């Protein structure tokens, strides 16, 4: 037997395991959330941990001696919000919870329903990520008979947080929970099979707002409210974001973008509201990027060139553990500006940049261990092109040019950290909109809080969900044309 010492979120746990045990199995069986997109085959590179002060893949590590394992903190920055707005509270009594239920991250806000104060909050990585990092994979798992497992995982995770809230603040009951989530996550939380969302014509089982007794879905609250969705791939999180940004009431031409495993794009004009979802893939949330990670403490969120040297910033100023989406955008922007990649995204070893010393073996090293590979750049190009092309198609349908846009709201954790100069430089966002970009953070969470504290906002969400004209991109020839062109770096 060998002793495995596990350090996570500043807590230490010791377990005894048999010699030859797989480290990923050991960690998973002891309740630690370790992302392994490839199912433990050693190809996705997502299960890196520090083992005896050396980075190793947990899925490829066999325990043959006593070891010390340090895990990245499970808390993420899904709580961040830079959008300041006032909204009306209708006094209730007791305590409620607003939930932003994302594919990658879950944010919960414990609120006093009498005065609207946020008593406590937490943001954690979604426990379902071990079953896939994107909604398509989750849908596939459900179609293979794993709905009960995915449902139980998320209910257990939310209930554990509720339990901690209640203990910490001496609360007896949670009156109500309001959830904003994408359509797939709404189905799973409602214990409803989302398989129909994965195949044409992508028909949801439900889109309208649901109000459920907590015990029916095993959640520790009296009532559960699931905010309405717009379509299969424009969910309640986007409805909540439109509400939070007060987009409906504005007379300006506005683009609202929530970039995650999917890129949801809304354009509001005088003629109406148009929306679409692009299959951007999970690169912006760190998946399929060798050293990619979500927006957790230690994620490289900013990269810049100063005095001919790379300078990085990490979330919470912790030791660099990987690269999140905004850091990836900065890195690729630097590669373009320094001539380290050509217009096709291929590394150019003829560059005169001082960073050429960091480029070898098909990798550009950001630190002595953390790098971006040629494969990572290809994944990034696919994601970047999907977002840029989706924006162009919606602009054409709305009969607008980029310069006609008055404001661009970037939502989500990725949008909070992103450098707008980098985003424009690489062609992710239109070049003529740089000064119009505003990072608004977690608008889904803000919308859920508004709907928790005032029932009138729930009705407004119902109306928003029916007013958005959904534009499908899958068979759109203009999207295909734009997608090919946007793969390049100008």
């Amino acid at each position: 037997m060998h002793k495995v010492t596990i350090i996570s979120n500043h807590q230490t746990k010791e377990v005894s395991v048999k010699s030859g045990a797989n480290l990923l199995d050991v960690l998973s069986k002891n309740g630690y959330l370790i992302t392994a997109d490839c199912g433990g085959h050693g190809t996705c590179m997502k299960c890196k941990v520090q083992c005896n002060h050396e980075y190793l893949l947990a899925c490829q590590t066999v325990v043959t001696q006593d070891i010390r394992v340090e895990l990245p903190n499970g808390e993420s920055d899904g709580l961040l919000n830079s959008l300041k707005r006032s909204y009306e509270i209708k006094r209730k009594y007791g305590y409620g919870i607003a939930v932003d239920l994302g594919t990658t991250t879950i944010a919960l806000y414990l609120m006093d329903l009498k005065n609207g104060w946020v008593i406590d909050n937490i943001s954690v990585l979604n426990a379902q990520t071990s079953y896939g990092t994107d909604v398509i994979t989750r849908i596939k798992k459900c179609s293979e008979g794993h709905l009960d497992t995915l449902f139980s995982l998320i209910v257990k995770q939310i209930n554990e947080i509720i339990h901690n809230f209640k203990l910490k603040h001496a609360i007896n009951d949670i009156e109500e929970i309001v959830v904003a989530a994408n359509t797939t996550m709404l189905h799973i939380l409602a214990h409803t099979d989302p398989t129909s969302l994965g195949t044409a014509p992508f028909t949801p089982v439900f889109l309208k707002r649901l109000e459920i007794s907590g015990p029916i879905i095993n959640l520790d609250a009296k009532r559960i409210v699931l905010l309405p969705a717009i379509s299969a791939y424009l969910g309640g999180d986007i409805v909540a974001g439109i509400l939070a940004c007060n987009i409906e009431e504005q007379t300006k031409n506005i683009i609202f973008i929530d970039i995650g495993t999917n890129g949801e794009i809304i354009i509001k004009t005088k003629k109406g509201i148009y929306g679409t979802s692009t299959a951007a893939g999970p690169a912006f949330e760190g998946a399929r990027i060798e050293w990619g990670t979500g927006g957790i403490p230690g994620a490289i969120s900013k990269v810049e060139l100063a005095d001919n040297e790379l300078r990085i910033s990490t979330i919470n100023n912790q030791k660099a553990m990987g690269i999140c989406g905004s850091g990836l955008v900065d890195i690729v922007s630097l590669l373009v500006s320094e001539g380290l990649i050509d217009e096709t995204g291929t590394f150019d070893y003829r560059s005169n940049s001082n960073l050429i010393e960091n480029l070898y073996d098909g990798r550009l090293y950001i630190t002595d261990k953390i790098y971006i590979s040629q494969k990572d750049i290809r994944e990034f190009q696919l994601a970047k092109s999907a977002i840029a092309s989706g924006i162009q198609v919606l602009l054409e349908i709305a009969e607008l040019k980029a310069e006609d846009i008055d404001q661009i709201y970037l939502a989500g954790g990725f949008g909070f950290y992103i450098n707008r100069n980098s985003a424009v430089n690489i062609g992710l966002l239109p070049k003529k909109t740089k000064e119009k970009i505003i990072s608004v953070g977690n608008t889904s969470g803000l919308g859920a809080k508004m709907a928790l504290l005032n029932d009138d906002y729930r009705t407004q969400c119902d109306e928003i969900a029916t007013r958005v004209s959904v534009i499908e991109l899958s068979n759109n020839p203009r999207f295909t044309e734009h997608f090919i062109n946007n793969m390049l770096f100008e």
Side-chain angles (χ1 to χ4, degrees):
M1 301 292 289
H2 299 297
K3 181 173 72 175
V4 178
T5 303
I6 306 168
I7 302 169
S8 176
N9 289 328
H10 313 295
Q11 296 182 340
T12 301
K13 180 178 181 178
E14 292 183 354
V15 297
S16 295
V17 302
K18 292 181 178 179
S19 183
N22 179 275
L23 182 56
L24 180 61
D25 290 341
V26 170
L27 295 171
S28 298
K29 288 176 181 177
N30 282 278
Y32 294 97
L33 172 61
I34 304 294
T35 302
D37 301 351
C38 64
H41 295 293
T43 57
C44 73
M45 312 293 285
K46 308 266 42 115
C47 63
K48 292 189 190 82
V49 296
Q50 273 193 292
C51 183
N52 291 345
H53 306 292
E54 179 184 1
Y55 282 108
L56 298 173
L57 295 180
C59 71
Q60 301 298 302
T61 301
V62 175
V63 180
T64 58
Q65 59 181 332
D66 291 352
I67 58 173
R68 173 188 172 93
V69 180
E70 295 183 45
L71 306 180
N73 290 334
E75 296 183 358
S76 75
D77 266 346
L79 298 167
L80 293 171
N81 194 300
S82 55
L83 180 64
K84 306 298 181 185
R85 65 154 297 181
S86 59
Y87 53 89
E88 183 182 356
I89 296 171
K90 289 200 172 179
R91 181 175 296 184
K92 305 177 185 179
Y93 294 95
Y95 300 91
I97 295 176
V99 180
D100 168 33
L101 179 55
T103 312
T104 303
T105 303
I106 310 171
L108 290 89
Y109 305 82
L110 175 65
M111 306 192 73
D112 187 326
L113 300 179
K114 184 178 180 179
N115 52 36
W117 292 349
V118 177
I119 299 170
D120 206 342
N121 55 47
I122 188 172
S123 179
V124 296
L125 296 178
N126 188 325
Q128 295 176 342
T129 55
S130 57
Y131 281 81
T133 54
D134 55 70
V135 294
I136 299 299
T137 309
R138 305 269 175 94
I139 292 169
K140 185 173 185 293
K141 289 294 182 182
C142 289
S143 72
E144 295 170 350
H146 296 289
L147 172 62
D148 288 347
T149 301
L150 291 170
F151 168 74
S152 298
L153 275 173
I154 198 62
V155 167
K156 179 175 181 288
Q157 189 174 26
I158 293 174
N159 277 338
E160 285 175 352
I161 295 171
I162 294 173
H163 177 71
N164 291 335
F165 279 164
K166 290 167 73 174
L167 281 179
K168 183 178 178 181
H169 300 284
I171 294 171
N172 291 322
D173 296 304
I174 300 298
E175 298 297 322
E176 198 164 51
I177 295 176
V178 172
V179 181
N182 64 56
T183 311
T184 299
M185 293 305 301
L186 288 171
H187 277 60
I188 293 173
L189 185 59
H191 204 191
T192 302
D193 189 356
T195 298
S196 61
L197 300 176
T199 55
F202 311 108
T203 306
V205 178
F206 68 92
L207 287 174
K208 292 184 178 181
R209 168 164 49 104
L210 290 185
E211 299 198 6
I212 310 167
S213 172
I216 290 179
I217 56 173
N218 301 326
L219 278 179
D220 185 16
K222 293 180 181 179
R223 291 181 302 280
I224 314 298
V225 179
L226 306 183
L227 294 182
I230 299 167
S231 68
Y233 291 101
L234 289 171
D237 50 348
I238 303 306
V239 171
I242 293 172
L243 173 72
C245 293
N246 199 29
I247 290 174
E248 267 202 310
E249 305 303 319
Q250 298 189 45
T251 57
K252 300 176 181 178
N253 293 323
I254 294 172
I255 297 180
F256 173 90
I257 311 173
D258 191 338
I259 301 176
T261 51
N262 279 323
E264 292 96 354
I265 306 166
I266 299 291
I267 288 188
K268 161 71 166 59
T269 73
K270 293 179 181 179
K271 294 182 179 179
I273 307 176
Y274 305 90
T276 194
S277 176
T278 66
F284 290 126
E285 295 197 341
R288 296 181 191 162
I289 304 300
E290 292 185 31
W291 276 93
T293 185
I296 63 173
I300 296 173
S301 58
K302 181 179 180 180
V303 180
E304 57 186 341
L305 190 62
D307 298 327
N308 292 320
E309 290 185 358
L310 278 180
R311 292 186 182 175
I312 66 172
S313 299
T314 64
I315 295 176
N316 290 4
N317 294 316
Q318 293 196 14
K319 182 179 179 180
M321 300 292 295
I323 309 166
C324 68
S326 59
L328 188 61
V329 170
D330 278 351
I331 293 168
V332 175
S333 179
L334 271 177
L335 292 175
V336 171
S337 297
E338 292 293 305
L340 287 163
I341 54 175
D342 62 21
E343 65 175 7
T344 69
T346 303
F347 280 130
D348 189 347
Y349 291 88
R350 300 166 299 174
S351 171
N352 294 322
S353 170
N354 289 331
L355 294 180
I356 195 70
E357 297 176 358
N358 296 46
L359 179 60
Y360 51 90
D361 297 334
R363 300 167 174 174
L364 181 89
Y365 281 82
I366 313 304
T367 70
D368 58 341
K369 293 182 178 178
I370 298 173
Y371 59 81
I372 181 173
S373 69
Q374 185 68 71
K375 175 179 171 293
D376 294 338
I377 294 172
R378 296 300 181 220
E379 288 287 346
F380 179 86
Q381 287 175 274
L382 292 170
K384 183 268 287 192
S385 183
I387 299 295
S389 304
I391 292 172
Q392 287 176 302
V393 168
L394 284 193
L395 284 172
E396 290 173 356
I397 288 173
E399 299 180 334
L400 296 175
K401 296 179 180 179
E403 52 265 37
D404 296 325
I405 297 299
D406 298 300
Q407 208 87 73
I408 294 181
Y409 292 122
L410 284 183
F414 173 77
F416 186 88
Y417 284 106
I418 193 171
N419 180 315
R420 61 185 181 183
N421 291 320
S422 296
V424 169
N425 186 44
I426 61 171
L428 176 65
L429 299 176
K431 293 190 180 300
K432 296 180 180 180
T433 62
K434 184 170 67 174
E435 302 305 321
K436 303 172 182 179
I437 300 168
I438 299 176
S439 295
V440 290
N442 188 357
T443 55
S444 176
L446 177 56
K449 286 190 283 186
M450 292 171 63
L452 174 66
L453 297 171
N454 187 335
D455 292 0
D456 290 346
Y457 290 125
R458 301 178 192 180
T459 302
Q460 192 172 341
C461 284
D462 296 339
E463 294 169 353
I464 289 170
T466 61
R467 289 177 182 168
V468 177
S469 299
V470 179
I471 307 301
E472 296 292 343
L473 299 178
S474 54
N475 295 315
N476 188 307
R478 290 293 291 160
F479 177 77
T480 303
E481 182 181 333
H482 288 309
F483 188 87
I484 294 170
N485 292 333
N486 286 321
M487 284 288 289
L488 302 176
F489 296 104
E490 295 181 4

